[in-house]
């Protein structure tokens, strides 16, 4: 079956602009995660959705970052007023529950000029 | 803060040799997972070991877990050039539903 997909694969934007990153999880997966990975670094947790529960937003670095998940499926990560330090690869993952393996998408490489 | 810390940061070996990577963590866990990442993009799950398990095998992979030392190791036997990638350990923090990843070990297998 289809894996996790993300779009766009690459995004170049100017400082101060807003961007939206999309994630399509594997059908039937109840959990969805967003991570950020800066060059040569590990993954930084951003936000976690599980079913209809309130999302865990504890990893969002500032109020410029927000995410939503519509209908328990597709998720959008929005970054407002982008800054150069937002440049990174943004990875989405989904899983069929908690404490199990996560399936990752290919990521969106964001470059803020 | 990083829950998992991999060691070494980089490892270069010859094809056919074994590669061992270590991971240390700080808090209690439900399970520990290892992932592989090629070319800085999506990660692929390799193996999950639960806190009540001490060793697990999957093909050429062997993972050990020592909860008393809060450490894990990943052994890749008979390495191949295709094993060249970054390897990350990931843990939950005391049962949290989110994973915390280390910075990874960059493995290079020379043909």
């Amino acid at each position: 079956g289809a894996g996790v997909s993300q779009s766009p694969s690459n995004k170049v934007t100017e400082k101060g602009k807003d961007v939206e990153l999309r994630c399509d999880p594997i059908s039937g997966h109840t959990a969805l995660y967003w991570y950020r990975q800066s060059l040569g670094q590990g993954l930084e947790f951003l936000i976690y959705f599980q079913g209809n529960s309130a999302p865990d937003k504890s990893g969002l670095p500032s109020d410029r970052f927000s995410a939503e998940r519509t209908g328990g499926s597709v998720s959008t990560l929005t970054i407002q007023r982008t800054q150069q330090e937002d440049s990174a690869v943004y990875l989405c993952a989904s899983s069929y529950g908690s404490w199990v393996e996560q399936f990752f998408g290919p990521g969106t490489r964001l470059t803020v000029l | 803060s990083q829950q998992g810390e991999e060691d070494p940061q980089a490892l270069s070996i010859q094809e056919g040799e074994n590669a061992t990577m270590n991971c240390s963590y700080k808090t209690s866990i439900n399970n520990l997972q290892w992932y592989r990442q090629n070319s800085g993009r999506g990660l692929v799950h390799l193996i999950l070991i639960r806190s009540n398990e001490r060793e697990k095998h999957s093909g050429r992979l062997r993972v050990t877990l020592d909860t008393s030392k809060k450490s894990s190791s990943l052994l890749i036997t008979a390495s191949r050039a295709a094993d060249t990638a970054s390897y990350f350990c990931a843990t939950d923090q005391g049962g949290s539903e989110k994973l915390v990843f280390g910075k990874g070990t960059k493995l290079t297998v020379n043909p």
Side-chain angles (χ1 to χ4, degrees), chain A residues 3-10 21-25 33-35 75 77 89-93 103-109, chain B residues 41-43:
Chain A
V4 177
S5 61
Q6 292 186 245
S7 61
S9 56
N10 287 284
L21 312 180
R22 177 187 168 105
C23 172
D24 281 89
Y33 307 78
W34 282 98
Y35 298 91
S75 178
L77 177 69
V89 175
Y90 289 81
L91 292 159
C92 173
F103 294 80
F104 281 79
T108 294
R109 184 179 300 278
Chain B
R41 300 306 284 260
L43 279 72

Side-chain angles (χ1 to χ4, degrees), chain B:
Chain B
S1 62
Q2 294 287 351
Q3 164 77 322
E5 295 287 343
E6 290 89 345
D7 168 59
Q9 291 186 335
L11 180 61
S12 182
I13 60 173
Q14 295 301 120
E15 211 166 23
E17 294 180 339
N18 295 340
T20 300
M21 290 159 270
N22 303 296
C23 169
S24 59
Y25 56 93
K26 298 174 183 173
T27 67
S28 62
I29 61 171
N30 279 339
N31 64 57
L32 184 146
Q33 303 182 40
W34 285 90
Y35 287 81
R36 185 177 95 172
Q37 184 179 41
N38 291 84
S39 305
R41 300 306 284 260
L43 279 72
V44 174
H45 181 264
L46 295 176
I47 199 163
L48 180 153
I49 186 165
R50 303 198 183 281
S51 60
N52 61 354
E53 297 177 307
R54 292 297 168 259
E55 187 171 313
K56 204 161 184 180
H57 296 254
S58 177
R60 293 183 296 112
L61 306 180
R62 173 179 162 241
V63 169
T64 61
L65 178 64
D66 187 334
T67 53
S68 66
K69 295 181 180 178
K70 292 186 169 61
S71 67
S72 173
S73 68
L74 170 67
L75 169 67
I76 303 174
T77 60
S79 64
R80 306 166 181 168
D83 294 329
T84 295
S86 290
Y87 292 81
F88 295 88
C89 70
T91 57
D92 54 81
Q93 285 181 315
S96 167
E97 292 171 297
K98 63 189 183 191
L99 289 180
V100 180
F101 286 79
K103 293 185 178 181
T105 292
K106 186 172 183 179
L107 173 66
T108 302
V109 182
N110 301 299

Side-chain angles (χ1 to χ4, degrees), chain A residues 18-19 36 46-47 57-67 77-83 85-86:
Chain A
D18 298 351
V19 295
R36 179 170 71 174
L46 296 178
I47 188 169
K57 303 179 181 180
S58 60
L60 295 178
S62 76
D63 58 8
R64 296 186 295 105
F65 288 72
S66 63
L77 177 69
T78 301
I79 309 173
Q80 295 179 310
R81 305 180 303 282
T82 53
Q83 304 294 313
E85 59 262 30
D86 299 334

